[in-house]
Amino acid sequence: MLATCAVAASIGAVRIPLGELIGLLKGLISPQATLKTPYGTDYATIFFKIRLVRISLAVLVGASLSVSGVVYQGIFKNPMADPYIIGVSSGAALGATIAALLVRSGSIFGFSIMASFAFIFATLAVFVIYKMAERSGRIPVETLLLAGIALGALFHALTSFIMVIGSRDLHLIIYWLMGGFSSKGWDHVLVLLPFILVGLPFIYFNSRELNLLLLGEERAGQLGIEVERVKRGLIIASSLLTAAAVSVGGIIGFVGLIVPHSVRLLTGPDHKILIPASALVGAIFLVLSDLLARVVIAPTEMPLGIITALFGAPFFVYLLRKRRGVII
């Protein structure tokens, strides 16, 4: 993980030698921190204000989406489930699109209007879908999936409609929908951090319950698990993690699909190992993906969602082939 972050911090439009990185990390008072790049820019400015922010966001968003994928795949008992399956991303996209059309710029408590709207609408989507699926205090998994798919389709249609009537901001909306960490600051890291610090430990402490849910809800109930209470808590926690991640990074697909499934092949289904391992691998995966997004067609930056889709789409086809046992 540290080696991956060091490589990501070093490589870019301006290369920062490893010795300079070590000097910068030892402290800003280090004489090396004031050294200039061949282009006259301070190494410290590039490292602390740009690359370290991107690496921090990639680590947090990657861990959030991966762990959320673990939860959804565990509860739905479906390896093709991911954090966007219940309409969280569609809600965030609708919120960001409305913000781009109505407000365009500004901030709420130092956080950009667009990201704020994305988080608010993603969170609202979670609760609307949850209420639609609730039946007599229970949350049938099939009903939750269908409600998420239906409401996600509605959000997508509304987003497309707003993009048509607000064509002047079309490029801004499309760029946000494709995901990425450019033009992000430490305020975005601080917004996401509380959800990580609360959400990840909560999910990990329910590892045993997730393991028992794999045996089936009836069997888990017989073993003393309050099935509906556990499902409700885990779905809300993972959905809020996803909403926070989407609000700062845009739509970054497939992370919550391919990382948990790959890690499960190596570690097995025990969530006590699967959850922290997925968080670590998801963070590394997104740091490397962000690095590729920065350098593959430099100096132009490629949207991060394209990089993750290039990895995720073939992996999704692989899962379909494996489940069907036929060649597509």
Side-chain angles (χ1 to χ4, degrees), residues 248-279:
V248 300
I251 309 299
I252 304 173
F254 293 105
V255 179
L257 171 69
I258 62 177
V259 172
H261 194 78
S262 302
V263 174
R264 191 179 291 107
L265 292 175
L266 297 174
T267 66
D270 186 354
H271 286 86
K272 290 184 178 178
I273 301 173
L274 182 59
I275 290 173
S278 294

Side-chain angles (χ1 to χ4, degrees), residues 155-177:
F155 289 155
H156 181 72
L158 292 174
T159 300
S160 299
F161 174 72
I162 294 173
M163 289 172 67
V164 170
I165 63 174
S167 57
R168 63 177 181 175
D169 297 311
L170 199 59
H171 68 287
L172 180 65
I173 299 170
I174 291 176
Y175 193 79
W176 186 89
L177 290 177

Side-chain angles (χ1 to χ4, degrees), residues 51-207:
R51 292 189 188 166
L52 192 56
V53 172
R54 297 184 67 129
I55 292 170
S56 301
L57 283 173
V59 168
L60 296 178
V61 171
S64 298
L65 295 178
S66 299
V67 172
S68 297
V70 171
V71 173
Y72 287 123
Q73 290 172 14
I75 290 178
F76 300 148
K77 293 185 280 295
N78 187 334
M80 290 188 289
D82 80 348
Y84 298 145
I85 198 168
I86 64 170
V88 177
S89 63
S90 300
L94 177 61
T97 305
I98 292 174
L101 177 67
L102 299 179
V103 186
R104 302 190 68 181
S105 62
S107 63
I108 298 176
F109 301 115
F111 198 45
S112 76
I113 291 286
M114 202 165 174
S116 300
F117 269 55
F119 178 77
I120 292 169
F121 275 73
T123 306
L124 285 175
V126 171
F127 285 99
V128 169
I129 293 167
Y130 190 87
K131 285 297 180 184
M132 287 173 62
E134 190 173 25
R135 294 290 183 275
S136 304
R138 297 182 68 253
I139 310 295
V141 170
E142 296 81 5
T143 309
L144 185 69
L145 285 173
L146 292 174
I149 292 171
L151 203 60
L154 175 62
F155 289 155
H156 181 72
L158 292 174
T159 300
S160 299
F161 174 72
I162 294 173
M163 289 172 67
V164 170
I165 63 174
S167 57
R168 63 177 181 175
D169 297 311
L170 199 59
H171 68 287
L172 180 65
I173 299 170
I174 291 176
Y175 193 79
W176 186 89
L177 290 177
M178 290 190 291
F181 301 128
S182 64
S183 305
K184 298 296 190 298
W186 287 109
D187 54 336
H188 293 87
V189 177
L190 293 177
V191 167
L192 184 53
L193 200 56
F195 293 92
I196 296 284
L197 295 178
V198 175
L200 291 189
F202 174 82
I203 291 172
Y204 181 75
F205 287 138
N206 282 278
S207 299

Side-chain angles (χ1 to χ4, degrees), residues 277-293:
S278 294
L280 180 63
V281 175
I284 293 173
F285 173 71
L286 213 55
V287 170
L288 291 176
S289 296
D290 183 56
L291 173 61
L292 285 176

Side-chain angles (χ1 to χ4, degrees), residues 134 171 221 295 298 300 304 308:
E134 190 173 25
H171 68 287
V295 303
T300 302
L304 183 56
T308 57

